[in-house]
Amino acid sequence: MTEQYNEDEDFDLNELPDDELIEQMHDDLYNGLREEVVEGTEILLARSWSADRVLDEALVGGMAIVGVDFRDGILFVPEVLLAANSMKGGMEVLRPLLAQSGSETIGKIVIGTVKGDIHDIGKNLVSMMMEGAGFEVVDIGINIPVETYLEALETHKPDILGMSALLTTTMPYMKVVIDTLVEKGLRDDIIVMVGGAPLNEEFGRAIGADAYCRDAGVAVDMAKELIAQRRAS
Ligand code: B1M
């Protein structure tokens, strides 16, 4: 990534046209500059950008660049943590907008990232979008073992169990959870939806999930569809 502006140079994000502001926000996210990412997010909203568009173009777009350089060994964990923290700053600004919903609760989801995996940005985004669509969301966090999923299902009695995994080494754990539900005779009581960058449809089917969700928007649509199907049957 090249610096678009000299770091010492004092400039006002507000003065940048939209396309340059987006590029600058990608740089700021890459460089872990949370305050600047938050400010850029606020500026775009003030320019009447929708929360969805800010999320996709400025934040998710920026994190994709970070992902490529992380993969290629250009960025390392501490830098990626700072980038993630900046992304979360922007997401906090968007949260009330994404979670704005006048509608009645249309269903309940318990969601968590599987054991061995601490990635939570995607899961948090899914939670926000589901809330926004009128779901009650119980986020049980990261690194979740099967016992904790089971306890949460017992306590909260949700319609849906959502699991997230970002690592090829942790995605098989989703099958451990689903197999345990089957063993305990609980599988038919709940809709299971899975997601995370390394997953795909085929994997979702192979482990016995009801749906693989490519992104948070798909998760919302799938959740509505599967709940409607279940209630109709
Ligand atoms: Co990690 N990491 N990371 N990392 N990290 C990846 C996943 C990786 C692809 C990077 C790379 O090499 N390009 C790679 C995995 C390779 C693989 O397994 N094939 C990787 C690695 C290797 C690692 C470590 C092993 C690195 C190390 O220590 N050497 C380590 C593992 C730690 C662990 O979990 N045990 C590690 C650590 C970290 C950080 C802590 C530094 C940080 C996480 C911070 C945090 O989450 N709080 C981090 C980050 C940020 C990433 C990348 C760069 C970005 C992930 C992200 O937040 N994306 C990531 C690269 C990448 O994915 N391109 C990478 C943005 C987010 C909005 O997208 O999470 O895909 P995503 O979520 C989407 C969809 O997938 C879907 O909807 C979301 C929103 O649209 N979705 C769901 C997700 N979950 C869902 C659940 C659902 C439905 C939909 O349920 C219903």
Side-chain angles (χ1 to χ4, degrees):
M1 278 299 267
T2 48
E3 283 288 351
Q4 202 186 350
Y5 290 88
N6 184 324
E7 272 178 18
D8 301 329
E9 200 180 316
D10 206 10
F11 70 94
D12 186 353
L13 287 178
N14 243 317
E15 285 171 6
L16 300 179
D18 289 1
D19 55 339
E20 284 182 30
L21 177 57
I22 291 291
E23 220 175 301
Q24 185 59 39
M25 285 176 72
H26 289 175
D27 280 357
D28 289 342
L29 196 122
Y30 189 95
N31 291 318
L33 301 176
R34 182 180 167 119
E35 269 179 39
E36 284 77 355
V37 172
V38 167
E39 192 187 340
T41 304
E42 285 164 345
I43 293 171
L44 288 172
L45 290 175
R47 290 182 191 173
S48 302
W49 277 47
S50 70
D52 280 355
R53 187 170 172 214
V54 179
L55 182 66
D56 283 348
E57 294 187 28
L59 303 183
V60 175
M63 190 49 91
I65 301 169
V66 170
V68 171
D69 279 5
F70 189 27
R71 180 197 64 204
D72 295 344
I74 297 165
L75 287 180
F76 297 96
V77 170
E79 292 141 334
V80 178
L81 268 175
L82 287 174
N85 185 41
S86 307
M87 168 135 185
K88 285 183 177 181
M91 277 163 64
E92 279 312 308
V93 177
L94 299 179
R95 178 184 287 275
L97 299 168
L98 294 173
Q100 224 166 50
S101 161
S103 54
E104 301 263 298
T105 297
I106 52 175
K108 195 193 269 191
I109 177 170
V110 160
I111 188 166
T113 303
V114 297
K115 186 176 166 186
D117 202 320
I118 62 168
H119 294 86
D120 68 353
I121 294 177
K123 166 186 67 62
N124 296 349
L125 207 47
V126 172
S127 299
M128 279 185 207
M129 302 284 275
M130 296 283 289
E131 272 172 20
F135 285 86
E136 182 180 345
V137 178
V138 182
D139 182 345
I140 55 174
I142 53 173
N143 192 21
I144 301 297
V146 61
E147 298 78 15
T148 308
Y149 280 115
L150 292 176
E151 276 167 34
L153 297 187
E154 171 72 24
T155 309
H156 301 288
K157 308 222 175 330
D159 305 284
I160 302 171
L161 170 64
M163 289 188 278
S164 181
L166 264 288
L167 301 170
T168 44
T169 48
T170 57
M171 55 193 252
Y173 195 77
M174 292 173 159
K175 182 163 180 346
V176 173
V177 178
I178 294 176
D179 286 351
T180 309
L181 291 174
V182 173
E183 271 166 35
K184 294 197 175 289
L186 300 170
R187 178 65 187 89
D188 292 341
D189 301 342
I190 188 125
I191 296 165
V192 179
M193 303 199 331
V194 295
L199 279 62
N200 58 31
E201 297 258 8
E202 199 187 340
F203 176 79
R205 262 196 306 275
I207 62 169
D210 293 296
Y212 153 72
C213 312
R214 190 181 62 245
D215 59 33
V218 170
V220 168
D221 293 344
M222 278 290 176
K224 285 182 180 164
E225 194 181 314
L226 291 171
I227 284 193
Q229 276 174 17
R230 190 157 282 222
R231 288 182 183 161
S233 66

